[in-house]
Amino acid sequence: MTTLTVTTRGQVTFRKEVLQHLGIRPGEKIELNLLPDGKAELVAVRPKGSFRDLHGFLKGKTNGRVLSIEELNDAIADAGAAAGANKT
């Protein structure tokens, strides 16, 4: 169990190992669900992506070069994996 200290301003700093355990990186969000009996559940907010999010992902990255089908497939797979990396 990890114990955290609340500051006089009501703030809490999560230790690095807690954030790593939750899979949270700097800039990402945390959701706190308040439960009965003074308990809470802390979960990482996972972005909801879609295929439409990939639109324009190559813009400005090819320097005008025409990509082969294999290069396009690899780029799509990489972008899709990156977009879905934080999903559970």
Side-chain angles (χ1 to χ4, degrees):
M1 178 176 283
T2 300
T3 302
L4 306 173
T5 303
V6 179
T7 68
T8 57
R9 294 178 61 194
Q11 298 175 333
V12 176
T13 300
F14 288 93
R15 300 190 193 300
K16 188 176 184 177
E17 62 268 11
V18 172
L19 297 174
Q20 287 176 339
H21 177 77
L22 294 170
I24 298 171
R25 291 182 237 138
E28 294 183 341
K29 298 194 182 286
I30 297 172
E31 185 176 275
L32 184 66
N33 297 315
L34 302 179
L35 304 173
D37 299 325
K39 295 182 181 182
E41 175 186 47
L42 183 73
V43 293
V45 174
R46 301 295 179 212
K48 307 252 187 303
S50 73
F51 183 75
R52 294 186 194 285
D53 294 339
L54 295 176
H55 176 75
F57 75 98
L58 288 176
K59 188 175 184 175
K61 296 180 182 177
T62 63
N63 296 326
R65 185 171 66 88
V66 176
L67 300 179
S68 69
I69 293 296
E70 290 80 17
E71 290 172 312
L72 281 171
N73 285 339
D74 289 344
I76 291 168
D78 291 345
N86 293 327
K87 291 184 179 180
T88 57

